[in-house]
Amino acid sequence: MLYIGIDLGGTDIKSAIVDENCNILAKFQQPTLVNRDYKEIVADMAACALKSLELANLSIDDIASVGVGIPGIADNKTGRVIFCTNLFWEDIPLAQELQKYINKPIYIDNDASVAGYAEYLAGVSKGTDSSVFITLGTGIGGGIIINGKPWSGFHGVGSEIGHAPLNITNGVPCTCGNLGCVERYCSATAIIRMAKEALSKDNSSMMLHMADNDLNKINAKIVIDAAKIGDKLALEVFENYTYYLAKAIIMIINIIDPEVIVLGGGVSKAGDYLLDAVNKKIPQFLLFKKCKYPQLLIAKLGADAGVIGAALLGM
Amino acid sequence: MLYIGIDLGGTDIKSAIVDENCNILAKFQQPTLVNRDYKEIVADMAACALKSLELANLSIDDIASVGVGIPGIADNKTGRVIFCTNLFWEDIPLAQELQKYINKPIYIDNDASVAGYAEYLAGVSKGTDSSVFITLGTGIGGGIIINGKPWSGFHGVGSEIGHAPLNITNGVPCTCGNLGCVERYCSATAIIRMAKEALSKDNSSMMLHMADNDLNKINAKIVIDAAKIGDKLALEVFENYTYYLAKAIIMIINIIDPEVIVLGGGVSKAGDYLLDAVNKKIPQFLLFKKCKYPQLLIAKLGADAGVIGAALLGM
């Protein structure tokens, strides 16, 4: 059987036709154009999906179900999107509206959850008993896979690892209104903030040169590239960042202890350089030093993870 | 069918015969007497279990399986205890040794996990989709129930909520060697520490009177009783404590989001007084203020939770 996957983002709607072996037979994408009535966006999601179907030379009869990953909180039981900041959605009957165009069973879940599910089905965590997927991007997303299924919580508000508190006193203010969330220490945004703070006290770092002497051009890649070639300030920032990331991973180990923890998102492109730095710091924080603990891996499906994981929610 | 449950503690071995409706037909307990060879302790565990069986007027043929809750890290797949601080056990073949005396399938898990499982099977979280059990005692134990089964992690080191980091900078030193663990802010020990710190600066509190003017007699009950009758210093300590507990609960909500969160252990005896104080603080820290979130409940099985949950691991 075949499945339609839709990855609804703040910038683009992506769709794909996916087979049960996680192969993409065809895919299509178009702009989301937020600031429209949700019904218009859902009509475009359906059109985008049907375009993929057409590109694959298939008919709707070949499709078993449709899955949608959304950048927010979904209630898969009711098919409603509870909350979706980027799209300004609140309590939207997504499944019901989408079924007007595609009359198939519809499954919805958080985008990081479905990306983690895709890595479990077809990526780096394939075949594992349990995994936690962490996207290190502008923000931090999380996907928890237990017993072969994504776990986004009973109310759909779980796996929001980026907003677990990591610092209850003197925490960095978070966009969510709280202090000290994981996201403020472990996202690409956090590296950039730490680099800018460091550069404001010491402007001799080559990071500044790599950013054309423009602090606004500092990004995570510049910091990591500068650290790799031995820039002292960049190394300091990278050491602090990987210390915080190790602490967030210890939180995941001490609470969930999955078989593997998968790092995705922009910062994960640093690959082994990132893994090595974090792996060096984890053992000292383990509760039981002699016990086995989750292996850290870098995600491998990249941008396709969203549509693959969404498609196979119905498998 | 009937099941034997054994709750192995640092002080006592408790056993019970439990039916499939979670009723205890008979129970027995005897001292653990640590500092002995593990084989002697396991022989006593078997004797304790067989004594329960005798008290219930039953034979071993009536028993389907034996379950054991241990105060440490268990690998249920191999039947080995990986680590157990209080008993000085490291990599002990518990199931294999116990089977020499009782030749039935043997299941082992962490004691807080089985207590949480008991609350799910027969207690306050009965019938829920998912729950997290937190014991607020000398330390902090955790039990996670997802899809009707205890989840103690792939390597057996999960659900150790007490050692998730809650403060990465200037954290209170923990017995585990790390800084800022949840246990240092949310256990009965934490209340006592905070009360002693407060009393060292202001000795006019009635807490001191209630403790016979002996700081060493301060306990969580004294602090909470004094807070209830309006003692200013005790109220301050209780407010700080419930602030920290609310933050730890937010961590659980943002990561796991179970249907309910169950509080057990000594501090939970404060009942509604505790729930009210924590429930007042949670909404301000929620990531999505309008979303539903886990209900907080007080455990109801008390000291029997350990044997009931252990017994029914094999159900």
Side-chain angles (χ1 to χ4, degrees):
Chain A
M1 224 36 203
L2 300 172
Y3 305 86
I4 291 175
I6 301 174
D7 181 3
L8 177 62
T11 309
D12 287 313
I13 300 165
K14 295 174 188 168
S15 73
I17 311 302
V18 180
D19 70 17
E20 60 213 4
N21 296 317
C22 309
N23 300 305
I24 292 182
L25 306 189
K27 58 184 175 178
F28 189 72
Q29 84 179 64
Q30 62 190 68
T32 308
L33 308 174
V34 295
N35 286 315
R36 293 188 291 164
D37 186 81
Y38 81 88
K39 290 185 178 178
E40 292 179 41
I41 294 175
V42 176
D44 277 1
M45 289 165 68
C48 179
L50 295 173
K51 183 73 186 167
S52 283
L53 199 62
E54 188 191 320
L55 290 172
N57 282 317
L58 293 164
S59 89
I60 196 69
D61 295 335
D62 299 307
I63 298 300
S65 63
V66 181
V68 187
I70 60 121
I73 303 298
D75 183 350
N76 188 44
K77 297 181 196 81
T78 62
R80 298 179 86 90
V81 172
I82 303 172
F83 202 84
C84 199
T85 318
N86 298 342
L87 300 169
F88 314 104
W89 282 11
E90 235 184 275
D91 197 29
I92 297 295
L94 175 61
Q96 188 189 324
E97 186 67 21
L98 190 56
Q99 260 169 340
K100 290 180 184 168
Y101 305 93
I102 306 176
N103 190 21
K104 294 283 175 181
I106 290 174
Y107 302 91
I108 61 176
D109 210 326
N110 170 267
D111 53 5
S113 292
V114 302
Y117 188 44
E119 291 289 344
Y120 159 74
L121 290 169
V124 72
S125 48
K126 185 173 178 175
T128 57
D129 166 273
S130 45
S131 58
V132 171
F133 177 70
I134 311 175
T135 55
L136 309 171
T138 307
I140 298 263
I144 299 170
I145 312 297
I146 287 183
N147 299 324
K149 285 185 185 170
W151 175 262
S152 298
F154 181 76
H155 312 86
V157 302
S159 84
E160 287 287 350
I161 292 162
H163 296 281
L166 201 55
N167 200 345
I168 44 168
T169 55
N170 306 312
V172 177
C174 187
T175 50
C176 75
N178 288 323
L179 297 177
C181 294
V182 165
E183 190 165 288
R184 297 279 66 76
Y185 302 92
C186 301
S187 60
T189 312
I191 300 186
I192 295 167
R193 187 196 75 241
M194 292 189 275
K196 285 181 177 176
E197 283 169 8
L199 284 166
S200 72
K201 290 170 199 157
D202 175 357
N203 60 10
S204 69
S205 162
M206 67 178 78
M207 287 189 282
L208 213 48
H209 173 72
M210 292 160 85
D212 304 329
N213 286 305
D214 181 354
L215 271 185
N216 292 321
K217 289 188 181 168
I218 294 287
N219 59 36
K221 187 173 185 306
I222 286 177
V223 180
I224 292 168
D225 286 346
K228 278 182 184 168
I229 51 176
D231 180 79
K232 191 168 160 283
L233 207 67
L235 272 169
E236 267 178 42
V237 170
F238 187 67
E239 278 301 294
N240 282 335
Y241 172 77
T242 49
Y243 166 84
Y244 292 136
L245 186 53
K247 277 285 195 172
I249 287 168
I250 285 290
M251 178 190 282
I252 299 302
I253 292 175
N254 287 351
I255 297 177
I256 300 179
D257 176 29
E259 183 172 356
V260 297
I261 294 174
V262 179
L263 303 180
V267 180
S268 75
K269 290 180 184 160
D272 285 344
Y273 187 70
L274 177 71
L275 286 189
D276 289 349
V278 178
N279 275 328
K280 256 183 215 152
K281 295 177 180 71
I282 286 179
Q284 66 183 302
F285 300 130
L286 288 172
L287 182 53
F288 304 102
K289 313 293 181 200
K290 292 183 182 174
C291 292
K292 288 180 186 163
Y293 58 94
Q295 196 188 353
L296 270 192
L297 302 167
I298 298 287
K300 71 174 197 187
L301 297 178
D304 285 337
V307 284
I308 295 174
L312 298 176
L313 283 175
M315 191 164 68
Chain B
M1 225 32 205
L2 300 172
Y3 305 85
I4 291 175
I6 301 174
D7 181 3
L8 176 62
T11 308
D12 286 313
I13 300 166
K14 295 175 189 168
S15 73
I17 311 301
V18 181
D19 71 16
E20 60 213 5
N21 296 316
C22 310
N23 299 306
I24 291 181
L25 306 191
K27 58 183 175 180
F28 190 71
Q29 83 181 63
Q30 62 190 69
T32 308
L33 307 174
V34 294
N35 287 314
R36 293 189 290 164
D37 186 81
Y38 80 89
K39 290 185 180 180
E40 292 179 40
I41 295 176
V42 176
D44 277 1
M45 289 165 69
C48 179
L50 295 172
K51 184 72 185 170
S52 283
L53 199 61
E54 187 191 320
L55 291 172
N57 282 317
L58 292 164
S59 89
I60 197 69
D61 296 335
D62 299 308
I63 298 300
S65 64
V66 180
V68 187
I70 60 121
I73 303 297
D75 182 348
N76 189 44
K77 296 181 196 82
T78 61
R80 297 179 88 88
V81 171
I82 304 172
F83 202 84
C84 200
T85 318
N86 298 341
L87 300 170
F88 315 103
W89 281 11
E90 236 185 273
D91 196 28
I92 296 295
L94 175 60
Q96 188 190 325
E97 186 67 20
L98 191 54
Q99 259 168 341
K100 289 182 186 169
Y101 305 93
I102 306 176
N103 189 21
K104 294 281 175 182
I106 290 175
Y107 302 91
I108 61 176
D109 209 327
N110 170 268
D111 54 3
S113 293
V114 301
Y117 187 44
E119 291 290 343
Y120 158 74
L121 290 169
V124 72
S125 48
K126 186 174 178 175
T128 56
D129 165 272
S130 46
S131 57
V132 171
F133 177 71
I134 310 175
T135 54
L136 309 171
T138 308
I140 297 261
I144 299 170
I145 312 296
I146 287 184
N147 298 325
K149 284 187 186 168
W151 175 261
S152 298
F154 181 75
H155 312 87
V157 301
S159 82
E160 287 287 350
I161 292 162
H163 296 280
L166 202 55
N167 200 345
I168 44 169
T169 55
N170 305 313
V172 177
C174 188
T175 50
C176 74
N178 288 322
L179 298 177
C181 294
V182 164
E183 191 165 288
R184 297 279 68 75
Y185 303 91
C186 301
S187 60
T189 311
I191 300 186
I192 295 167
R193 187 197 73 240
M194 293 189 276
K196 285 182 176 175
E197 282 169 8
L199 285 165
S200 72
K201 291 170 199 156
D202 174 358
N203 62 9
S204 69
S205 161
M206 68 177 78
M207 286 189 283
L208 213 49
H209 174 71
M210 293 161 84
D212 303 331
N213 285 305
D214 182 353
L215 271 185
N216 292 322
K217 289 189 181 168
I218 294 287
N219 58 35
K221 187 173 185 308
I222 287 178
V223 180
I224 292 169
D225 285 347
K228 278 182 184 168
I229 53 176
D231 181 78
K232 192 169 157 284
L233 207 66
L235 273 169
E236 268 178 41
V237 170
F238 186 68
E239 278 300 295
N240 282 335
Y241 172 77
T242 49
Y243 166 85
Y244 293 136
L245 186 54
K247 278 284 194 171
I249 287 168
I250 285 289
M251 178 190 282
I252 299 302
I253 293 175
N254 287 350
I255 296 178
I256 301 180
D257 175 28
E259 184 172 356
V260 298
I261 293 174
V262 179
L263 303 180
V267 181
S268 76
K269 290 180 184 160
D272 285 344
Y273 187 69
L274 177 70
L275 286 188
D276 290 349
V278 179
N279 275 327
K280 258 184 213 150
K281 295 176 181 72
I282 285 178
Q284 65 183 301
F285 301 130
L286 288 172
L287 182 54
F288 304 102
K289 313 292 182 200
K290 292 182 180 174
C291 292
K292 287 180 185 162
Y293 58 93
Q295 195 187 351
L296 270 193
L297 302 167
I298 298 287
K300 72 174 195 187
L301 296 179
D304 285 337
V307 283
I308 295 174
L312 297 176
L313 284 175
M315 192 165 66

